[in-house]
Amino acid sequence: QVQLVESGGGSVPAGGSLRLSCAASGYTSRPTCMAWFRQAPGKEREGVVRIWRGTDTYYADSVKGRFTISQDNVNTLSLQMDSLKPEDTAMYYCAASSGLCSLYDYTYDYWGQGTQVTVSS
């Protein structure tokens, strides 16, 4: 059974940085696409960034130039978040897909439980 476990969330002041990690296990075959999503209270879940086959990346405009995704190995996904803003406050989720690759949540088969990121002004 595939498991995704996020870590690295926390509370930082605006302008600060955090690095999120996602540890994956239980794959029978490596997913072709992984992504980070986030959901703020009272808002829809939104795609932040996705990575296809470990190299091809696509970022939401709201985080472009501030966030960096990397797939360190088949079992570890990271998200470096710099120049954080209060509007980045949300629960952040790791997701994996063995098929399509996009920033739409219906694309993904597997999800982690999330890690909270809070940015104070």
Side-chain angles (χ1 to χ4, degrees), residues 56-78:
D56 183 78
T57 59
Y58 185 84
Y59 293 86
D61 287 344
S62 58
V63 305
K64 203 173 293 183
R66 300 188 299 119
F67 289 13
T68 304
I69 191 172
S70 61
Q71 193 161 10
D72 309 314
N73 56 59
V74 67
N75 293 321
T76 305
L77 184 73
S78 298

Side-chain angles (χ1 to χ4, degrees), residues 19 26 42-43 45 60 68 70-72 78 80 85 87 119:
R19 186 176 181 88
K43 294 190 175 182
R45 184 163 55 187
T68 304
S70 61
Q71 193 161 10
D72 309 314
S78 298
Q80 178 66 39
K85 303 175 180 180
E87 51 263 44
V119 185

